[in-house]
């Protein structure tokens, strides 16, 4: 089982090799509140376009609820619903331009929303554990930002360029509600959309089932399968088949989920483009390392399999990537592509304006690393990204770029020249 970055890379990019199967297996686990609803069966194709719209972040008060301190009681962010748990107000003055709130330190899932009032051209920037994550200006309200894991320090709001006004910081807790027509069972979730991909349907097995099948109808677009295999004993492997032909395999996840905060399970195995239209059967088979399929006696094996239709693609020349990706709790769409040709070092400025941005990059023929430096804050965005694409091409999504800033984005290789592209995304919502 790999990381969220692996999943973004797999769902965001795939090689364009006609006639050759492209099989990339990943699985991702994000903890959520308990959701024990179970649904099985196909999601109608005619509803897919409607379902896709549910992936956008909606910042509006729930019916029957009044805002608290100017904040909605409930928001939807990607696949889940969040409810307001607390709100803190900063009255901006000559000696009052910063607000510090202890970050939630438990294993539940949290998010933050910030709203300004009468800030004029001033800005308010939110920091989590000293890393900038959100910025608004004037009377704006931000989208929800998912707090990554248990935080170690404070949530800080810093106001600059404003002599008055106020800022409201809302802290939201994820509930058990799942948006859209997702598939879920005992806390495992296959969301209705992932990036630009749309759920066709899927199936979860009963505890100790070692085989799960789902029959679907392929159209004229490529499909991906999303498997999950949970095995706390660590004795099982899982393989994936379409119409009886194996096309991928991997280890089952040994870490059993916490019933109070179960996992979001989604992975991807990209099918060949020439998968014929019509009826197909996808199967997940769990096998003991000794070759048998006998269920474990002391702990439950849990299998699931789902099928997604690939969304729209952007052609980067050597690779195609999804037009829409997911990052930091929201959906992003490709805004522009900047080609890179035969260089060991590339840099450019990106001005974000009144909306945040996100960058990704393609590198072919050599290893490359990337980082973004904020001119407003005089510091790099959190961490840097690197990948080794020697002898081929690789694509990865980098850091989010805050609104009302200009960033210097640099890509470089320590060993050889590379070709590729810098991709700038903007929020879908």
């Amino acid at each position: 089982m790999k990381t969220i970055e692996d999943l973004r890379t797999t769902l965001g990019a795939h090689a364009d090799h006609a006639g050759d199967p492209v099989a990339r297996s990943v699985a991702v686990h994000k903890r959520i509140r308990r959701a024990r609803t179970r649904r099985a069966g196909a999601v109608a194709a005619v509803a897919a376009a409607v379902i896709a719209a549910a992936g956008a972040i909606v910042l509006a008060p729930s019916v029957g609820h009044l805002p608290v301190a100017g904040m909605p009681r409930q928001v939807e962010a990607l696949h889940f619903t969040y409810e307001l748990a607390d709100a803190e107000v900063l009255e901006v003055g000559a000696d009052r331009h910063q607000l510090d709130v202890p970050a939630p330190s438990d294993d539940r899932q949290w998010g933050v929303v910030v709203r300004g009032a009468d800030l004029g051209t001033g800005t308010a920037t939110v920091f989590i554990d000293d890393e900038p994550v959100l910025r608004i200006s004037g009377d704006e309200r931000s989208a929800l930002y998912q707090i990554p894991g248990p935080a170690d320090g404070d949530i800080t709001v810093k106001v600059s360029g404003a002599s008055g006004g106020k800022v409201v910081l809302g802290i939201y807790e994820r509930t058990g509600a799942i948006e859209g027509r997702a598939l879920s069972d005992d806390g495992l979730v296959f969301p209705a959309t992932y990036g630009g991909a749309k759920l066709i349907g899927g199936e979860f097995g009963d505890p100790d089932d070692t085989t799960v099948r789902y029959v679907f109808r392929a159209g004229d677009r490529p499909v991906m399968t999303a498997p999950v295999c949970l095995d706390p004993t660590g004795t099982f492997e899982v393989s994936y088949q379409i119409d009886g032909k194996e096309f991928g395999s991997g280890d089952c996840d040994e870490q059993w989920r916490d019933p109070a905060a179960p996992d979001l399970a989604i992975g991807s195995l990209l099918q060949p483009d020439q998968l014929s239209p019509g009826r197909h059967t996808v199967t997940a088979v769990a096998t003991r390392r000794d070759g048998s399929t006998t269920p474990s006696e002391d702990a439950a094996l849990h299998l699931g399999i789902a099928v997604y239709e690939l969304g729209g693609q952007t052609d980067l020349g050597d690779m195609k990537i999804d037009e829409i990706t997911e990052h930091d709790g929201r959906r992003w769409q490709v805004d522009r592509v900047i080609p890179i040709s035969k260089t060991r070092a590339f840099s450019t400025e990106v001005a974000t304006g009144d909306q945040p941005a996100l960058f990704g990059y393609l590198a072919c023929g050599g290893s490359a690393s990337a980082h973004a430096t904020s001119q407003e804050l005089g510091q790099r965005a959190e961490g840097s990204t690197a990948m080794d694409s020697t002898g081929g091409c690789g694509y990865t999504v980098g850091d989010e770029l805050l609104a009302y800033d200009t960033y210097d984005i640099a890509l470089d290789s320590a060993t050889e020249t590379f070709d590729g592209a810098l991709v700038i995304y903007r929020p879908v919502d």
Side-chain angles (χ1 to χ4, degrees), residues 2-243:
K2 299 184 181 179
T3 66
I4 188 68
E5 293 301 332
D6 296 322
L7 176 56
R8 293 190 189 110
T9 300
T10 301
L11 288 180
H14 65 89
D16 188 20
H17 299 297
D20 293 333
V22 180
R24 301 179 183 177
S25 177
V26 294
V28 170
H29 304 281
K30 274 184 170 285
R31 307 174 71 80
I32 63 171
R33 298 296 300 276
R34 187 166 182 79
R36 291 187 59 91
T37 57
R38 176 168 180 162
R39 306 177 194 174
V43 176
V46 293
V50 178
I51 293 170
I57 298 172
V58 180
L59 289 175
S62 303
V63 176
H65 292 287
L66 295 176
V68 175
M71 306 300 284
R73 286 286 185 95
Q74 188 177 89
V75 299
E76 292 179 0
L78 284 181
H79 317 298
F80 303 102
T81 300
Y82 291 74
E83 291 185 351
L84 183 66
D86 193 13
E88 299 285 343
V89 179
L90 170 64
E91 298 284 352
V92 181
D95 59 348
R96 296 185 302 276
H97 61 274
Q98 181 168 323
L99 173 69
D100 294 289
V101 177
S105 58
D106 57 32
D107 286 338
R108 290 176 291 176
Q109 293 297 304
W110 301 88
V112 294
V113 175
V114 65
R115 179 174 185 172
D118 301 323
L119 296 181
T121 58
T123 61
T125 304
V126 179
F127 297 77
I128 298 178
D129 294 341
D130 297 324
E131 293 293 341
V133 299
L134 286 175
R135 182 178 292 134
I136 54 95
S137 180
D139 299 323
E140 294 174 342
R141 186 174 69 201
S142 74
L144 182 138
Y145 182 90
Q146 294 177 343
I147 298 176
D152 298 324
D154 290 339
I155 301 172
T156 300
V157 181
K158 295 182 181 180
V159 175
S160 62
S163 58
K166 67 180 181 180
V167 177
V168 183
L169 174 70
I171 300 177
Y172 288 79
E173 181 183 3
R174 186 184 292 177
T175 73
I178 305 168
E179 64 83 19
R181 297 181 62 184
L183 302 179
S184 62
D185 179 42
D186 197 20
L188 300 177
V189 179
F190 293 121
T193 62
Y194 194 91
K198 302 171 185 177
L199 179 66
I200 296 174
E203 184 67 56
F204 287 103
D206 292 326
D208 291 331
D209 280 352
T210 56
T211 301
V212 177
R213 295 182 178 87
Y214 175 68
V215 178
F216 69 98
R217 182 169 292 278
D220 57 359
R221 297 194 62 82
V223 300
M224 301 177 294
T225 66
V228 60
C229 181
L230 293 177
D231 167 33
T233 68
T235 59
F236 280 84
E237 300 172 322
V238 64
S239 63
Y240 320 108
Q241 304 170 4
I242 282 192
D243 302 329

